[in-house]
Amino acid sequence: MSLLETARDIREQAYAPYSKFKVGVALRSTSGAVFVGVNVENAAYPEGTCAEAGAIAAMIAAGDTQIAEVAVIADAPTPVQPCGGCRQKLKEFSAPDVVVTMANLSGEQVTMTVAELLPGAFSKDQLDM
Ligand code: THU
């Protein structure tokens, strides 16, 4: 199964009773393992989490720290774009050339690199640690 097919399947598990906007993410780490995430909303709206955050948390819990490829999908009129916060989250664990495939349920898809999604990103290099 492709990364995008995996994201499409897991999307069904999203908990999005408030926005009704289910998002699925699948990412492959450089070890080759695949991790999935869905958005998990909350009655206290700001406590909801994005699908990307879930997939990244699963990767980190498994001991991997480098993303190789990402797929994100939602039922949107155009291929779903990761939100700004998720671009920053993806950037933390991705080389600039990591490819993010964005898709919708109609079969449309576009790809962009992490560097294209977040040009001029703030990064750990700037913390001078
Ligand atoms: N959402 C994600 O899960 N990922 C994104 O990158 C875009 C937005 C979720 C958050 C919220 O549950 C719903 O989509 C509508 O904003």
Side-chain angles (χ1 to χ4, degrees):
M1 198 187 298
S2 74
L3 210 53
L4 187 55
E5 287 167 338
T6 301
R8 188 184 180 107
D9 282 358
I10 201 65
R11 176 189 161 276
E12 303 291 339
Q13 304 298 331
Y15 177 75
Y18 307 107
S19 72
K20 315 282 190 209
F21 191 77
K22 292 185 169 190
V23 183
V25 165
L27 66 80
R28 188 166 45 81
S29 69
T30 52
S31 77
V34 171
F35 302 96
V36 295
V38 296
N39 52 330
V40 182
E41 298 184 346
N42 194 282
Y45 290 2
E47 299 303 329
T49 53
C50 285
E52 291 87 339
I56 289 169
M59 177 188 77
I60 294 298
D64 286 353
T65 57
Q66 282 299 307
I67 295 173
E69 190 183 353
V70 184
V72 52
I73 189 166
D75 187 11
T78 55
V80 64
Q81 295 276 334
C83 76
C86 287
R87 292 173 193 225
Q88 184 73 39
K89 289 181 178 75
L90 291 170
K91 192 260 176 296
E92 180 76 13
F93 304 106
S94 301
D97 61 351
V98 164
V99 171
V100 180
T101 299
M102 297 157 280
N104 62 15
L105 295 186
S106 308
E108 296 173 291
Q109 54 179 279
V110 294
T111 61
M112 292 176 73
T113 65
V114 166
E116 288 169 336
L117 285 170
L118 194 61
F122 179 71
S123 76
K124 50 186 174 256
D125 303 340
Q126 295 177 301
L127 292 175
D128 197 25
M129 294 171 66

